[in-house]
Amino acid sequence: MIKKIFTVCAAVLVLCGAMSCNKDEEDTEKPTFDNTDATPVEGGKYLPGGKIIVHQTFSDNEELGSFNIEIHNNFDHHSHSTETAKSISKHEDHDHDHEHGDVENAWVFNQDYEIPAGKKVYTADLTIDIPETIAEGDYHFMIRVTDKAGWQEIKAVSLEIED
Amino acid sequence: MKSIFLFAFLSVCCAVAHAQEDSIWGIVKNGVDIDEITVKADKSNNEVQMTLPQNVVKLDKKFIDNNFAGSLMQSLSLIPGVQAMTVGSNHSKPVIRGLGFNRLAVIENGIKHQRQQWGHEHGLEVSQFSLDEVEIIKGPAAMVYGSDALGGVISLKDNSLPQNARKSGVLFFFRSNNSSLGLSTNTEGVKGKFFYKFNFTAEKYSDYKVPVDSIQYYSYYIKLKEHRLRNTAGNNGDASLTFGFSGIKFKSSLSVSDVYDRSGFFANAHGIEIRLSKIDFDKSFSDIDYPFSTANHFMAVCNNSLKIGRSTLKMDFAFQNNRREEFSEPVSHGYMPKPDGFLERSFYKNTYSLNAAYKFMLGQHSLQAGFNSEFQKNKSGGWGYVLPGFETVSNGIYFCDKLHISNGLILSAGLRTDFSSVKIFEYKDWYKTPLQNGDSAFVTRSEDCLKKFSSIVFSFGLNYETGNWVLKGNFGKSFRMPLALELGSDGVNYQIFRYERGNNDLEPEVSYQADFGVNFQKKQFKFYLTPFLNYFPNYIYLSPGFNYVEGLQLYEYTQNQVFRFGGEFQADYALSRKAEFSLGGEYLFARQLSGSKKGYGLPFAEPWSVFVSAKYFVPQKRKRNECYVSVTQKYTGSQKDIVPPEKPTDGYFLTSMSLGKKIIRKKTEFSADLCIDNLFNAVYYNHTSYYRLIDVPEAGRNFSIKIGFIF
């Protein structure tokens, strides 16, 4: 009786073992940004009422999903890890600077965009109009991209919007 | 030099198993009440295992005392197959074999504990110092407990009859990592057929330390001051009072308890605009700034049992009130203007429960018929929306039969049916959002909706004892009602920076599970192996998609087929009052078989782990005194089986050590224990920790001191 039970258990275990090894390789890679000739560039200067020319290339090992662009103020000089080391050290100099600027009139831009199905590489070219009546100062340009599997990658770029 | 080696050798070889000392096996020593059968002192584990077809672990107060970790669940996570999903230093959620949240039931004095269990940041709102006994069922137990018990049950009891005519205790504890200071007192007594118990605990702690100086969160780069996780300080307290009557035929008790908790959220990882805060979070490590949460759980339970000949009638009534509030600095976001006040979210929930069971014997059959009824009403408030208000009604009846074929062979079977309903109340934004046609409107986040569910579940079990072996098998179907959150959410979850969308068409989640248990016991040696197979035809899964909504990645509730298997083992060798050794481990595998994440596992999957432990008892002049030193070494494997947005987690070694002394004189007892967790201050990540997603490593080295006095 016990021997039989053990035999059945062993068979089930082997089956389970085989299943866990036989796993198809699932997508565990995030999409990536190609930073060569991407715009806007780190530390780019813009005028209120001007235009931000966006040129971004995304790629994924399997298939891209969609992307989003968000612009928020950086009046407090916070850091994003995806910025270059140079700009982070610049922020650190301002670490104890708690002047928050005209947050009430800060510009907020937030837009979702689709990527056509089946793309492994996609280049987005678009133009964002900067409103004329916004608080001037440092801004962060955030770009997020997903792949079909649901992985997300984020990039941050610092901008200055000043007359 | 030689003596150092000797000490090290002794510590490693002899000392460890403080975790295991009382675990699976020791529990039986002190006599516990299982399923109407009183297990007397020195009952073997094999006899305990014959009482239930599922794999069960019983723990007594001594286990909890000897394994004093940050929270109850962290203490219990030393048992193979039980994990703690931690948030910060003092909160954790129970997980059994990878299933947590509403997939397991926490039972307090026979009543399902109803808190806000759906959220990551909500711990278990129970006191660990008042507990008399903990029972863990690894595997489905929906038969008696109904919805939610598909992953397992953690049953807590704090109203059992005191062992002494009068006993009081004071316990003082300190933890170095988060400068925690606590005090717990209790008193209990028996007078004739009446008894009473009282317990009070208070604790205060500061921001906890991690062994790194910076972390990054959603691309934000965060420097930590003196390794402290900003604003993770808190305080908590609880009190409970029990009055009881214990006659020969009739037993009754009334327990009233209240658990309060106030704790800060890691400031850099909560809310979307915390960078605009004017709070100086680093001015003190012990204050609680915004954002923080408070939780209060009040519970009154009345347990009654009446013996009529060979049958027993049991009836339990309970009322629970759960209040949870989350406070943040008001900020505007998207189209939401700056709100008034600091109350971001509030949940007020009242739960009324009634359980009745009738047990009787008929020839070789022990039969049980029972009924559970529960009503819940939850109100949500605050300016931040996550969960709609709801009402649920659930009623279930069941019938179980246990057939004693011979002394060593028991067959069992059960059937249960449930009828439940969820009523979700409409929620509209309190601010206007511009529409595409140029208009603007108060967007509806959840609509009025009434969902009715019914479910039939069954189970078959076998217990077979032969020689030194006990073999067990159990096959059963369990279910879980979808939560209001899963049905009706539609909004931004600012805690995790994602947009979550519920699904009104979700069906009750169903699970089929086969459990096996092989137990062996001979003299000082004990061993068990408990494998399981599990299949969900419709696991409710929050699937990350590729679309953006309002600037955040869209996550949608879906139902997919899931297959899981795994198991645990443990071997113990104990030389009474001299030394103890243990070796144990666990493994878990999960695969989604359908849906958009077909081929992936499940989130927060516990990787495999093994531990060895040794405990050495230092010989004492007075026999009643006790002095021990123990070492536990645990290795947790890496977790590469991930789903978005998780990151692979590396394996790690963890060493803990403890030593203690107990002096017993007549009726007084003095004890002092020192425990060192993460002895080598290892930097490691726990894949099941909420903060893993934001790259926060687990706490560094910690010294805990506990001094107790019983009189």
Side-chain angles (χ1 to χ4, degrees):
Chain A
M1 172 84 174
I2 290 185
K3 259 191 179 171
K4 266 188 187 170
I5 292 172
F6 272 123
T7 315
V8 172
C9 291
V12 170
L13 277 181
V14 168
L15 201 79
C16 291
M19 184 159 177
S20 57
C21 295
N22 259 343
K23 177 194 171 206
D24 295 329
E25 277 308 304
E26 295 307 324
D27 183 10
T28 53
E29 280 180 45
K30 289 179 176 185
T32 53
F33 294 98
D34 179 359
N35 287 329
T36 47
D37 63 83
T39 60
V41 294
E42 184 62 37
K45 290 184 169 51
Y46 295 87
L47 296 169
K51 288 180 192 310
I52 299 175
I53 309 293
V54 179
H55 175 82
Q56 294 284 342
T57 302
F58 321 110
S59 55
D60 187 59
N61 59 328
E62 295 200 346
E63 186 179 349
L64 288 162
S66 55
F67 73 101
N68 165 276
I69 292 173
E70 186 218 333
I71 298 168
H72 60 242
N73 79 74
N74 184 29
F75 301 162
D76 65 330
H77 296 115
H78 61 279
S79 311
H80 288 281
S81 62
T82 45
E83 294 170 80
T84 58
K86 195 179 144 202
S87 61
I88 285 177
S89 71
K90 178 196 150 197
H91 292 323
E92 280 173 0
D93 293 341
H94 291 82
D95 225 11
H96 297 287
D97 181 357
H98 280 283
E99 285 171 40
H100 283 181
D102 184 8
V103 176
E104 296 287 314
N105 295 313
W107 181 34
V108 177
F109 179 87
N110 195 345
Q111 192 72 53
D112 309 327
Y113 302 90
E114 286 177 7
I115 295 175
K119 295 274 185 193
K120 280 192 178 184
V121 179
Y122 180 74
T123 303
D125 280 297
L126 45 109
T127 307
I128 297 170
D129 295 323
I130 305 170
E132 259 177 67
T133 57
I134 58 161
E136 295 179 15
D138 290 351
Y139 281 84
H140 269 158
F141 174 93
M142 304 285 295
I143 182 157
R144 300 156 208 254
V145 60
T146 57
D147 68 8
K148 271 278 171 348
W151 295 102
Q152 178 178 243
E153 187 61 291
I154 302 175
K155 186 169 84 167
V157 179
S158 299
L159 307 177
E160 273 178 50
I161 301 179
E162 259 162 359
D163 232 338
Chain B
M1 196 63 191
K2 240 183 181 176
S3 61
I4 295 173
F5 271 117
L6 190 68
F7 176 71
F9 179 75
L10 274 184
S11 328
V12 173
C13 297
C14 313
V16 193
H18 72 283
Q20 271 55 51
E21 190 211 349
D22 297 283
S23 62
I24 328 300
W25 322 102
I27 39 178
V28 263
K29 286 178 200 156
N30 300 329
V32 281
D33 188 67
I34 298 167
D35 205 16
E36 289 306 295
I37 300 163
T38 303
V39 180
K40 303 230 169 57
D42 301 314
K43 272 259 177 177
S44 70
N45 174 64
N46 280 1
E47 282 164 294
V48 172
Q49 295 302 335
M50 286 298 284
T51 60
L52 271 180
Q54 295 101 337
N55 293 305
V56 58
V57 177
K58 282 222 169 207
L59 310 168
D60 63 4
K61 205 173 180 66
K62 206 173 159 195
F63 174 87
I64 297 158
D65 286 350
N66 288 0
N67 297 288
F68 173 70
S71 66
L72 176 64
M73 275 322 299
Q74 279 167 277
S75 302
L76 298 183
S77 66
L78 300 159
I79 299 160
V82 181
Q83 299 99 24
M85 189 182 274
T86 55
V87 187
S89 60
N90 272 53
H91 297 90
S92 51
K93 299 181 84 69
V95 175
I96 294 179
R97 290 173 164 173
L99 297 182
F101 299 93
N102 282 60
R103 289 190 181 89
L104 65 81
V106 174
I107 308 292
E108 216 179 331
N109 293 331
I111 296 291
K112 209 180 281 175
H113 186 77
Q114 293 290 12
R115 57 200 189 282
Q116 300 285 348
Q117 51 265 67
W118 47 268
H120 287 80
E121 295 183 309
H122 314 161
L124 199 55
E125 287 142 20
V126 297
S127 161
Q128 67 176 316
F129 294 106
S130 64
L131 297 175
D132 295 323
E133 160 195 330
V134 178
E135 179 183 283
I136 295 166
I137 298 174
K138 294 190 251 176
M143 193 49 59
V144 178
Y145 297 110
S147 174
D148 298 359
L150 35 71
V153 168
I154 294 177
S155 175
L156 312 168
K157 212 172 160 192
D158 68 358
N159 63 352
S160 47
L161 183 68
Q163 304 285 311
N164 305 61
R166 235 200 72 185
K167 198 174 99 176
S168 298
V170 179
L171 183 76
F172 164 82
F173 54 93
F174 167 76
R175 272 185 227 110
S176 66
N177 183 283
N178 61 354
S179 316
S180 154
L181 267 180
L183 183 77
S184 180
T185 63
N186 65 78
T187 180
E188 58 182 39
V190 185
K191 191 148 196 186
K193 288 181 174 170
F194 294 91
F195 67 91
Y196 67 90
K197 289 180 149 191
F198 174 73
N199 187 289
F200 172 79
T201 306
E203 187 188 3
K204 185 171 171 37
Y205 55 91
S206 302
D207 299 349
Y208 78 99
K209 277 180 272 189
V210 290
V212 293
D213 53 19
S214 68
I215 55 170
Q216 47 170 284
Y217 175 52
Y218 272 81
S219 91
Y220 286 77
Y221 175 82
I222 299 153
K223 283 170 82 177
L224 300 179
K225 189 181 172 194
E226 293 175 33
H227 304 278
R228 300 273 189 163
L229 228 45
R230 248 166 231 120
N231 200 37
T232 54
N235 55 57
N236 58 64
D238 60 76
S240 66
L241 183 64
T242 300
F243 284 110
F245 173 83
S246 183
I248 295 163
K249 291 202 163 170
F250 179 66
K251 290 180 169 63
S252 178
S253 70
L254 175 69
S255 308
V256 179
S257 63
D258 193 77
V259 177
Y260 173 78
D261 181 278
R262 180 184 166 106
S263 53
F265 290 118
F266 174 40
N268 298 94
H270 182 98
I272 209 152
E273 301 287 333
I274 203 64
R275 61 200 172 76
L276 296 178
S277 173
K278 284 184 178 150
I279 296 172
D280 180 9
F281 288 101
D282 293 335
K283 73 177 183 295
S284 161
F285 295 132
S286 61
D287 62 346
I288 306 170
D289 293 312
Y290 294 108
F292 69 88
S293 74
T294 61
N296 193 80
H297 193 87
F298 172 84
M299 189 168 182
V301 185
C302 180
N303 302 93
N304 305 285
S305 98
L306 177 67
K307 273 202 170 77
I308 314 159
R310 287 181 74 199
S311 51
T312 312
L313 178 67
K314 279 191 161 192
M315 210 170 254
D316 302 332
F317 311 89
F319 167 70
Q320 296 174 72
N321 172 266
N322 188 286
R323 297 171 66 89
R324 184 184 166 84
E325 288 166 336
E326 298 177 10
F327 299 88
S328 315
E329 289 172 274
V331 283
S332 60
H333 174 70
Y335 299 110
M336 180 180 84
K338 186 174 166 176
D340 292 328
F342 290 85
L343 184 63
E344 185 180 0
R345 267 181 279 272
S346 67
F347 309 104
Y348 305 126
K349 181 153 88 170
N350 284 334
T351 306
Y352 304 85
S353 323
L354 166 68
N355 293 340
Y358 183 62
K359 297 180 185 185
F360 57 104
M361 300 290 289
L362 206 72
Q364 288 169 301
H365 297 264
S366 19
L367 301 155
Q368 180 177 344
F371 168 74
N372 313 103
S373 186
E374 191 191 76
F375 172 75
Q376 274 188 50
K377 186 173 176 131
N378 194 81
K379 258 173 77 181
S380 300
W383 43 262
Y385 171 77
V386 175
L387 176 73
F390 65 85
E391 274 177 19
T392 64
V393 181
S394 46
N395 292 302
I397 49 170
Y398 62 90
F399 187 77
C400 309
D401 181 11
K402 217 166 160 185
L403 174 61
H404 301 259
I405 291 179
S406 67
N407 228 357
L409 183 61
I410 302 170
L411 293 180
S412 43
L415 191 66
R416 180 188 174 100
T417 178
D418 279 87
F419 300 94
S420 13
S421 64
V422 183
K423 191 174 168 187
I424 295 172
F425 300 107
E426 185 189 69
Y427 180 89
K428 282 186 173 187
D429 281 343
W430 53 273
Y431 54 89
K432 283 188 171 176
T433 297
L435 301 176
Q436 284 185 338
N437 62 12
D439 253 357
S440 64
F442 297 102
V443 174
T444 303
R445 295 293 177 183
S446 87
E447 285 174 11
D448 272 331
C449 140
L450 176 68
K451 297 285 289 183
K452 287 188 176 172
F453 303 106
S454 68
S455 180
I456 293 178
V457 298
F458 59 83
S459 77
F460 299 101
L462 171 132
N463 297 49
Y464 178 57
E465 185 174 19
T466 171
N468 297 317
W469 299 83
V470 170
L471 302 178
K472 301 167 74 158
N474 189 60
F475 177 74
K477 179 187 170 192
S478 311
F479 79 103
R480 177 175 76 89
M481 264 190 357
L483 299 172
L485 177 81
E486 294 163 336
L487 294 165
S489 72
D490 189 11
V492 178
N493 183 338
Y494 288 112
Q495 290 171 1
I496 327 187
F497 282 76
R498 62 195 188 193
Y499 194 98
E500 295 178 357
R501 188 170 284 162
N503 180 353
N504 258 336
D505 299 323
L506 295 178
E507 293 289 325
E509 191 174 80
V510 169
S511 157
Y512 296 91
Q513 185 161 323
D515 274 279
F516 308 94
V518 178
N519 301 272
F520 177 81
Q521 182 166 23
K522 195 175 183 183
K523 291 179 183 161
Q524 291 108 337
F525 180 74
K526 291 152 200 157
F527 170 81
Y528 75 77
L529 175 71
T530 53
F532 74 95
L533 292 166
N534 174 219
Y535 171 70
F536 283 91
N538 56 1
Y539 187 95
I540 299 176
Y541 173 66
L542 182 59
S543 180
F546 59 86
N547 287 314
Y548 285 96
V549 178
E550 297 177 16
L552 289 164
Q553 195 181 350
L554 174 66
Y555 281 60
E556 284 178 294
Y557 283 98
T558 57
Q559 286 194 297
N560 304 336
Q561 292 175 45
V562 169
F563 173 70
R564 310 186 320 125
F565 71 85
E568 308 82 35
F569 78 95
Q570 187 167 329
D572 297 70
Y573 183 73
L575 286 164
S576 176
R577 309 272 292 164
K578 284 182 186 144
E580 289 170 356
F581 306 91
S582 294
L583 170 70
E586 61 188 39
Y587 174 76
L588 194 65
F589 172 87
R591 197 51 74 237
Q592 299 192 40
L593 303 180
S594 67
S596 65
K597 294 291 176 292
K598 186 179 170 180
Y600 285 91
L602 291 173
F604 294 108
E606 181 77 16
W608 66 272
S609 64
V610 286
F611 75 87
V612 282
S613 68
K615 181 168 186 169
Y616 173 68
F617 292 92
V618 182
Q620 297 292 295
K621 273 185 193 162
R622 283 170 184 264
K623 275 197 172 168
R624 290 179 71 198
N625 290 357
E626 191 184 290
C627 180
Y628 70 91
V629 48
S630 78
V631 180
T632 302
Q633 176 75 48
K634 185 175 179 179
Y635 180 74
T636 305
S638 62
Q639 185 55 280
K640 304 247 154 62
D641 197 7
I642 52 167
V643 291
E646 294 183 337
K647 294 171 186 169
T649 305
D650 289 334
Y652 55 90
F653 276 103
L654 265 192
T655 310
S656 62
M657 212 179 140
S658 60
L659 43 140
K661 169 115 185 160
K662 196 177 270 179
I663 301 167
I664 302 172
R665 292 279 182 282
K666 287 180 186 164
K667 278 191 169 176
T668 61
E669 187 183 308
F670 173 81
S671 65
D673 296 86
L674 168 71
C675 185
I676 310 164
D677 304 309
N678 194 0
L679 186 65
F680 300 112
N681 207 24
V683 181
Y684 71 100
Y685 297 89
N686 180 351
H687 195 74
T688 64
S689 165
Y690 171 64
Y691 285 155
R692 167 67 190 115
L693 293 176
I694 53 173
D695 270 331
V696 177
E698 295 300 300
R701 187 187 298 119
N702 176 50
F703 295 87
S704 311
I705 295 168
K706 190 168 59 124
I707 295 166
F709 188 57
I710 296 170
F711 51 94

